[in-house]
């Protein structure tokens, strides 16, 4: 009996200490937008593996942008930005060695914003602006996929241009929870302030919040207001280095009918076709065993398109389609 109780206590202890941040297969999408330059798309984060840095184990998370951003190229782009390195210890999530989220915190607790750029404009570098205060203004729990997760409401200080005496210090709030992190803003806090004015017409790339999260042991969660968004993200893979091993597209060029043959074995998949401006011209979900799909394209204006096949695991593969 004593042995049974001892084992039970040990199991409960380790369960309480178990890391739930950044599980295998963890992926996040955060909506991104700006007025000028006109930005519309997603920041996409994917856990790759664990890596050692200065003797500590970190989660290596790849950050990419998918969408339209004139500063990074014309039309739709799929751009790798940087790697984020996080780790969790005793319910505290760190970005490198700076606190990102402290789920042991209570109302009134404070810490300093991470020193590292979280916007992915470059490889992670130390921010050269003063570190701002993060304050916990509320705590609670949220239930997602039947899992109760500790949540924090955080207030961040921010000043976009450090040397601009006209621009006042301001604040914004975010709700974060265990496992997922930010629900209302971006994967990491707003990018650090610049040390010189870059012009009054420039706008920071803002976030409309988390659109979806999933990992290998956590079903796809789509934030209310973004339902069906993740299953329909199609601004992907628009380069000539095409993943032709996942599906065939023929004839190409085509003028009347195009055939799409699914080769990855997924019985459930979505096909999107977008034009070069990123406008969706065709979308259809398939839940059957058919490997070949016929799509009428005779009404499409002549030009370059991109056909994207998204499987049930949200893996998307793209090929260029020419309509003539």
């Amino acid at each position: 009996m004593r042995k049974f109780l001892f084992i039970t206590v040990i199991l409960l202890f380790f369960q309480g200490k178990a890391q739930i941040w950044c599980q295998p297969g963890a992926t996040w999408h955060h909506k991104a937008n700006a007025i000028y330059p006109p930005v519309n798309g997603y920041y996409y984060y994917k856990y790759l593996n664990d890596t050692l840095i200065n003797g500590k184990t970190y989660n290596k998370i790849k950050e990419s942008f998918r969408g339209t951003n004139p500063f990074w190229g014309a039309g739709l782009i799929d751009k790798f930005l940087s790697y984020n390195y996080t780790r969790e210890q005793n319910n505290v999530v760190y970005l490198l060695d700076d606190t990102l989220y402290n789920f042991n915190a209570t109302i009134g607790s404070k810490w300093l914003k991470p020193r590292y750029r979280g916007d992915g404009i470059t490889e992670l570098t130390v921010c050269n602006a003063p570190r701002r205060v993060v304050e916990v203004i509320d705590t609670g729990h949220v239930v997602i996929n039947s899992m109760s997760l500790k949540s924090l409401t955080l207030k961040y200080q921010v000043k976009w241009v450090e040397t601009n005496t006209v621009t006042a210090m301001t604040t914004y709030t975010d709700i974060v929870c265990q496992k997922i992190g930010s629900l209302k803003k971006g994967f990491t806090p707003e990018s650090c302030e610049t040390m010189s004015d870059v012009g009054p017409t420039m706008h920071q790339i803002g976030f409309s919040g988390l659109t979806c999260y999933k990992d290998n042991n956590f079903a796809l969660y789509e934030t209310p207001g973004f339902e069906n968004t993740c299953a329909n993200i199609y601004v992907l893979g628009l380069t000539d280095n095409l993943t032709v091993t996942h599906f065939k597209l023929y004839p190409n060029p085509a003028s009347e009918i195009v055939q799409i043959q699914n080769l990855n074995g997924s019985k459930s998949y979505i096909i999107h076709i977008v034009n070069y401006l990123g406008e969706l011209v065709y979308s259809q979900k398939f839940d059957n065993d058919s490997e070949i799909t016929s799509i009428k394209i005779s009404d499409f204006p002549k030009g370059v398109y991109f056909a994207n096949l998204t499987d049930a695991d949200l893996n998307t593969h793209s090929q260029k389609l020419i309509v003539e």
Side-chain angles (χ1 to χ4, degrees), residues 62 70 89 111 120 163 175 199 233:
K62 181 180 179 181
Q89 183 176 355
W111 60 85
T163 58
I175 298 176
I233 291 176

Side-chain angles (χ1 to χ4, degrees), residues 304-321:
V304 176
Y305 295 79
F306 296 94
N308 305 299
L309 184 148
T310 303
D311 62 27
D313 294 322
L314 291 185
N315 299 309
T316 298
H317 310 284
S318 301
Q319 291 193 46
K320 183 186 292 183
L321 168 64

Side-chain angles (χ1 to χ4, degrees), residues 35-231:
I35 299 173
Y36 182 81
V39 174
N40 184 25
Y42 297 86
Y43 280 106
Y44 172 75
Y45 302 84
K46 184 177 180 62
Y47 165 66
L48 300 179
N49 51 47
D50 285 348
T51 186
L52 279 175
I53 301 176
N54 296 328
K56 297 177 182 178
T57 301
Y58 290 86
N59 320 119
K60 184 177 182 180
I61 300 171
K62 181 180 179 181
E63 177 181 358
S64 304
F65 175 86
R66 290 164 175 173
T68 57
N69 184 335
F71 277 173
W72 292 338
L76 292 172
I77 60 172
D78 183 1
K79 181 178 177 63
F80 163 74
L81 298 176
S82 66
Y83 296 111
N84 290 270
Y85 296 92
T86 67
R87 62 183 176 91
E88 180 183 353
Q89 183 176 355
N90 298 327
N91 294 323
V92 180
V93 179
Y94 297 90
L95 178 64
L96 289 178
D97 288 328
D98 291 343
T99 299
L100 189 57
Y101 311 122
N102 180 359
F103 291 104
N104 301 314
T106 57
I107 295 175
S109 297
K110 298 178 182 180
W111 60 85
L112 295 179
K113 218 165 44 167
R115 292 166 291 179
Y116 308 96
R117 299 178 70 91
D119 58 6
I121 300 302
T122 62
E123 288 290 331
L124 286 180
T125 55
V126 176
C127 178
N128 59 358
R131 298 180 68 186
R132 307 300 183 191
V133 172
V134 182
E135 181 179 1
V136 179
I137 60 176
D138 200 6
T139 64
H141 287 80
V142 295
V143 178
I144 299 177
N145 289 355
S146 300
M147 179 180 289
S148 180
L149 301 168
K150 178 74 177 291
S151 66
L152 304 171
T153 302
L154 304 178
K155 182 172 72 173
Y156 290 92
Q157 292 181 342
V158 63
K159 185 176 181 181
W160 295 124
V161 182
E162 180 61 31
T163 58
N164 188 332
T165 57
V166 177
T167 303
M169 180 80 70
T170 186
T171 62
Y172 68 92
T173 60
D174 191 10
I175 298 176
V176 302
C177 71
Q178 290 176 303
K179 178 177 275 292
I180 295 175
S182 172
L183 298 178
K184 301 297 183 181
K185 291 292 184 178
F187 183 79
T188 57
E190 299 281 358
S191 59
C192 68
E193 303 92 64
T194 59
M195 293 301 288
S196 61
D197 199 334
V198 292
T201 60
M202 300 298 295
H203 293 257
Q204 293 282 335
I205 297 178
F207 294 90
S208 301
L210 177 84
T211 59
C212 57
Y213 170 83
K214 75 178 186 71
D215 61 45
N216 291 350
N217 298 307
F218 196 80
L220 174 65
Y221 168 70
E222 295 181 301
T223 304
F226 290 105
E227 289 89 348
N228 300 317
T229 297
C230 292

Side-chain angles (χ1 to χ4, degrees), residues 8-27:
T8 301
V9 169
I10 291 296
L11 289 175
L12 288 174
F13 173 81
F14 280 105
Q15 183 177 9
K17 296 293 184 181
Q19 175 174 319
I20 64 173
W21 170 260
C22 203
Q23 293 293 298
T27 57

